[in-house]
């Protein structure tokens, strides 16, 4: 589709302005504290807006209206209500400890509560998980430009990825925060214009936009269906698992998300950080409701004005198809500049934050402990570049996955999140209990990884088999049929055999014995996931093949680890005093060399 040259000019001018901000703030970045934390004196209002913009990415802007267009509001109903209400209490639960320790990253806290190995594995898990999120941002960017301008996905991923890398490398946190503030107003203005025009094109206006969508089952119809309250892996959405996700997501974000926490740590103290979190939460709620309404309205518009270009399951493209075909130039260009605002905000925040993780958790701990301040900035910039390149590569892999399994944006990242399960337990157990210990976290990490591999195999193989059967029933049920017990029994026996040497006290103290035990727990976790697949497939697969829902995952390992926690021995006082909720007001019992640094940071952050 040909677009007016003025639309492209607007987009180019916006990209140039973003790079210009990076150049301006690149002056005077002589230390990692300035480059990564803005000198710890950023104003709370700007930081709050930046936090909201960091998480309101193209993923949300594509996924939310697209999911509502295809299936309705149910997927977001609990996360947009229960989840948002929990954000501020979760902030108070975790973040005060990071200010007290004068941290660059939340993972520093874990070394005091556990040891350096737990810090390393959780930091690596979070590093991969958030880099995967950046890839999702680039992937959804490709969907936006494909629907609006018919650009090939690889071109959009490379273009936006390169621009995001350039200005983030140059400017650091100050550039990221102040660009986010600019982008907030650009995005809000763009949505206001497009949604106003959209409502004007709907017979009956805004009220009818909502009413029609709800009448047609694109509100929350699942809440009236009995199977919604069960635990079947073959039902797309389930109430109890959505509720679990609505509770776990804000907990995980508040305790370990470097993107958000790094923004908050750039304020003067935890009280200023708390104000920033309040600003981020309120503005996030408002934008959430705008996205909900956009999804309902775009469904109603195409219900009243059918378009053969939008077939079943094309919700991810519907909103941007409207922008490109129904709005006069230069409105599409202005709106795409607004989309780039959200995209660039998340990319810059993510790359800058992951650079901090690389510098503090990997480079300075395992490569060079004695970096000069200027060298820290150089390492951070190179890390930003490499993280951006890695995210671009993952985004291209997501595009291939989406084509293979015919996935929507809501589903496409499922098979890539193999690690990260131990992030929340490591922080939550540490904050709540003096019994939290490194062995429990390592055991949980291994078990949960094996469990995740099994569940992802179930999802990918059953979905591909179901699709093959739909095209040709002669292909048989394949992996979407009944699973043989041997796929669970063999890893179960292997896991038990690998754990046996750990029962011998002499072997338990050796590294070889510990590694064998971890492999055994990994095998048992895999066996547990396969057993769940076996029992459900045997009980429920009948006349037609069934694929596991992308949203189905029983938190068996998490609940098991939480139960085991209360039977663990209490740890030495220096491991928890002043670092748990129950002992927050007490003095820290840590090595003297670090005490003076923390005391200085604590007095400023009080």
């Amino acid at each position: 589709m040909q677009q007016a040259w003025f639309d492209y000019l607007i987009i180019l001018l916006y990209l140039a302005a973003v790079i210009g901000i990076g150049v301006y703030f690149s002056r005077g970045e002589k230390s990692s504290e300035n480059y990564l934390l803005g000198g710890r004196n950023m104003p709370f209002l700007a930081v709050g807006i930046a936090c909201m913009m960091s998480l309101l990415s193209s993923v949300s802007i594509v996924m939310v209206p697209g999911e509502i267009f295809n299936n309705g509001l149910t997927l977001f109903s609990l996360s947009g209500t229960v989840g948002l209400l929990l954000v501020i209490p979760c902030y108070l639960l975790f973040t005060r400890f990071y200010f007290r320790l004068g941290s660059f990253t939340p993972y520093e806290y874990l070394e005091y509560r556990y040891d350096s190995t737990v810090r390393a594995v959780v930091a690596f898990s979070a590093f991969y998980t958030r880099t995967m999120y950046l890839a999702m941002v680039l992937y959804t960017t490709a969907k936006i430009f494909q629907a609006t301008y018919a650009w090939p996905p690889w071109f959009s991923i490379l273009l936006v990825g390169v621009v995001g890398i350039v200005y983030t490398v140059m400017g650091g946190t100050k550039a990221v925060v102040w660009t986010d503030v600019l982008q907030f107003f650009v995005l809000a203005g763009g949505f206001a214009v497009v949604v106003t025009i959209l409502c004007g094109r709907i017979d009956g206006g805004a009220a009818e936009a909502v009413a029609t969508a709800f009448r047609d089952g694109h509100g929350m119809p699942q809440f009236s269906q009995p199977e919604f309250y069960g635990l079947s892996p073959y039902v797309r959405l389930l109430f109890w698992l959505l509720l679990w996700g609505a509770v776990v997501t804000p907990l995980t974000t508040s305790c370990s998300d470097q993107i958000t926490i790094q923004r908050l740590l750039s304020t003067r103290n935890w009280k200023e950080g708390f104000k920033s979190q309040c600003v981020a939460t309120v503005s996030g709620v408002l934008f959430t409701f705008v996205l909900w309404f956009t999804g309902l309205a775009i469904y109603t518009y195409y219900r009243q004005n059918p378009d053969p270009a939008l077939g079943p399951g094309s919700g991810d493209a519907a909103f941007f198809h409207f922008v490109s075909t129904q709005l006069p130039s230069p409105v599409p260009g202005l709106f795409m500049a607004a989309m780039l605002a959200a995209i660039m905000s998340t990319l810059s925040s993510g790359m800058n934050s992951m650079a901090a993780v690389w510098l503090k958790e990997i480079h300075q701990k395992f490569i060079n402990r004695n970096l000069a301040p200027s060298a820290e900035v150089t390492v951070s910039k190179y890390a930003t570049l490499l993280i951006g390149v890695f995210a671009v590569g993952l985004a291209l892999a997501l595009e291939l996955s989406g084509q293979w399994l015919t996935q929507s944006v809501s589903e496409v990242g499922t098979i890539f999140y193999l690690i990260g399960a131990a992030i929340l337990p490591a922080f939550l157990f540490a904050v709540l209990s003096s019994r939290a210990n490194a062995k429990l976290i390592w055991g949980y990490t291994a078990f949960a990884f094996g469990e995740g591999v099994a569940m992802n195999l179930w999802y990918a193989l059953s979905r591909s088999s179901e699709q093959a059967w739909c095209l040709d029933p002669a292909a048989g049920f394949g992996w979407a049929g009944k699973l043989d017990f041997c796929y669970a029994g063999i890893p179960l026996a292997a896991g038990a055999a690998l754990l046996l040497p750990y029962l011998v006290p002499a072997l338990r103290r050796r590294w070889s014995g510990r590694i064998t035990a971890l492999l055994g727990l990994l095998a048992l976790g895999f066996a547990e996931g396969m057993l769940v697949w076996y029992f459900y497939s045997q009980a429920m697969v009948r006349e037609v093949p069934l694929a596991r829902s992308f949203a189905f995952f029983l938190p068996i390992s998490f609940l098991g680890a939480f139960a085991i926690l209360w039977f663990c021995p209490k740890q030495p006082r220096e491991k928890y005093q002043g670092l748990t909720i129950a002992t927050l007001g007490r003095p820290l019992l840590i090595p003297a060399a670090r005490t003076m640094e923390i005391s200085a940071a604590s007095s400023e952050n009080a």
Side-chain angles (χ1 to χ4, degrees), residues 438-456:
K439 287 183 180 179
L440 176 62
I441 300 303
W442 270 105
Y444 175 83
T445 300
F447 188 92
F449 181 80
E451 181 184 43
V453 170
M455 298 300 285
N456 283 344

Side-chain angles (χ1 to χ4, degrees), residues 22 25-27 29-30 35-36 165 168-172 351 355 358-359 374-387:
F25 282 106
S26 65
R27 304 172 301 169
E29 298 292 7
K30 302 301 183 185
Y35 184 75
L36 297 174
I165 291 169
T168 307
V169 167
M170 289 190 299
M351 288 187 288
W358 176 269
L359 174 67
S374 58
E376 290 181 351
V377 175
T378 301
V379 169
S380 299
K381 290 185 175 183
Y382 277 114
T384 302
L385 174 62
L386 293 175
I387 290 161

Side-chain angles (χ1 to χ4, degrees), residues 67-88:
E67 172 69 14
I68 293 170
F69 184 94
N70 289 336
N71 302 295
L73 264 171
T74 302
L75 180 61
F76 312 110
S77 57
L78 295 178
S79 61
T81 52
V82 175
L84 288 173
L85 291 174
L86 288 174
V87 169
I88 291 176

Side-chain angles (χ1 to χ4, degrees), residues 210-234:
V210 175
T212 297
F214 270 77
R215 280 198 304 270
D216 288 2
H218 284 256
M220 295 179 281
Q222 290 87 349
F223 280 84
S224 62
Q225 299 169 0
E227 61 267 23
F228 182 55
Y229 300 94
L231 286 177
S232 169
Y234 305 119

Side-chain angles (χ1 to χ4, degrees), residues 181-246:
V181 174
L182 166 66
Q183 290 165 339
F184 170 79
F185 290 105
V186 173
L187 181 64
F191 256 95
V193 170
V194 174
V195 171
T196 300
I197 295 173
L198 176 59
C199 289
R201 301 282 182 89
I202 295 173
D203 294 337
E208 187 59 29
V210 175
T212 297
F214 270 77
R215 280 198 304 270
D216 288 2
H218 284 256
M220 295 179 281
Q222 290 87 349
F223 280 84
S224 62
Q225 299 169 0
E227 61 267 23
F228 182 55
Y229 300 94
L231 286 177
S232 169
Y234 305 119
V235 175
R236 186 172 185 270
L237 299 176
L238 298 169
F239 173 80
W240 299 111
L241 297 186
L242 289 179
L243 181 61
W244 174 262

Side-chain angles (χ1 to χ4, degrees), residues 141-173:
T141 298
K143 293 298 180 184
I144 290 172
F145 283 97
Q146 186 177 32
T148 309
Y149 297 131
W151 291 358
W154 66 265
F155 177 77
S156 302
I157 290 169
L158 290 175
L159 174 66
V160 176
V162 167
V163 173
I165 291 169
V166 168
Y167 97 85
T168 307
V169 167
M170 289 190 299
T173 288

